[in-house]
Structure formats: structure tokens, C-alpha cells
């Protein structure tokens, strides 16, 4: 059994805010369940909680991202978000434990539902961790390898 808080962060909520997050389960050969727990706790002890159990048996839930929204309407002001998981490992056919699942949370974001969608920032972040700068046209590479980035 693997469990514990993976992430804890202080935040300030306004009226109309909700917390949106995503989570996924990764692990080849994993058979068992993983519980994802997200809690937003106000300074007066108010709680808004999300729980979801994913089943890794036969790979049904492996490798897929799932979205969730935590309604924090009752919490205004200073608060804390905590993300945690708890997983079980089921023994394989030979009695050996399966490899553990690797649960992942995406970075949670705060969205205010009272602000119309067209007034919210429209941002796209592109992360390229294996791109070589010397292979981009913008940096002098002669071939057309990156016309849209350039």
C-alpha cells in the first residue's frame, strides 16, 4: 500500500472559484486500485473534497488523463489544497506482487465561474524538452524544420 500527500499548497479563493485538476494512472502490469484524493480546506475548517478510484486491472484505466472539478463555493479567503493517493498492489498469478502504479496529478488551476469565458486569459504553453535550438530556422538552420515556430 502506497499513500500520502503528494502536494500541498496555500491559496486564496474568491466567491465563484472552482478548482480544476487532472489525474492519471501509469504502470505496466499493474493490477489493483488507486484512489485519488483532492481536498480544499478553508481556514475555518470548511472542506471541499474530490475522490476517485481508478482500477488498473487489465490496463483499463492506465495511461488516460481524467478531469475533475472541485466546487469550492463555500470556501472564500485563505485555503490549502492537498492532493494525495492511496494504492493497493494485488499479487500476480505466481504470488509475486505486481509492479506499483504511478499516479499523477496535473497542476490544479483556479477558475472563477462568474467571469465569462471570453474574459479569461487564453494561453497555450508548449514545452519541447528534446528540441535542439541549432535545428530551428529561427536560429539559422537552413532546412524548413520549424516553419510554424519560426
Amino acid at each position: 500500500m502506497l499513500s500520502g500527500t503528494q502536494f500541498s499548497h496555500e491559496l486564496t479563493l474568491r466567491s465563484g472559484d472552482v478548482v480544476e485538476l487532472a489525474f492519471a494512472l501509469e504502470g505496466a502490469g499493474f493490477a489493483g486500485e488507486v484512489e485519488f484524493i483532492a481536498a480544499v480546506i478553508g481556514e475555518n475548517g470548511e472542506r471541499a473534497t474530490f475522490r476517485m478510484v481508478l482500477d488498473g486491472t487489465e490496463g483499463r484505466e492506465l495511461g488516460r488523463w481524467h478531469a475533475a472539478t472541485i466546487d469550492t463555493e463555500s470556501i472564500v479567503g485563505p485555503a490549502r489544497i492537498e492532493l494525495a493517493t492511496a494504492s493497493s498492489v494485488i499479487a500476480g498469478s505466481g504470488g509475486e506482487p505486481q509492479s506499483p502504479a504511478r499516479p499523477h496529478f496535473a497542476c490544479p488551476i483556479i477558475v472563477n465561474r462568474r467571469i465569462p469565458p471570453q474574459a479569461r486569459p487564453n494561453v497555450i504553453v508548449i514545452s519541447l524538452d528534446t528540441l535542439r535550438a541549432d535545428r530551428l530556422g529561427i536560429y539559422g538552420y537552413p532546412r524548413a524544420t520549424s516553419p510554424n515556430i519560426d
Side-chain angles (χ1 to χ4, degrees), residues 22-37:
F23 54 97
L25 182 59
E26 174 189 17
F30 174 76
E33 294 180 340
V34 175
E35 182 177 23
F36 289 83
I37 306 126

Side-chain angles (χ1 to χ4, degrees), residues 85-110:
T85 61
S87 66
S88 63
V89 176
I90 297 174
S93 58
E96 295 296 316
Q98 299 283 335
S99 59
R102 291 179 301 280
H104 302 284
F105 279 103
C107 186
I109 61 170
I110 300 170

Side-chain angles (χ1 to χ4, degrees), residues 19-23 38 50-52 66-71 105 109:
V19 175
E20 294 182 353
L21 57 97
F23 54 97
F50 166 81
R51 290 179 182 273
M52 172 68 73
H66 303 269
T69 300
I70 304 172
D71 184 3
F105 279 103
I109 61 170

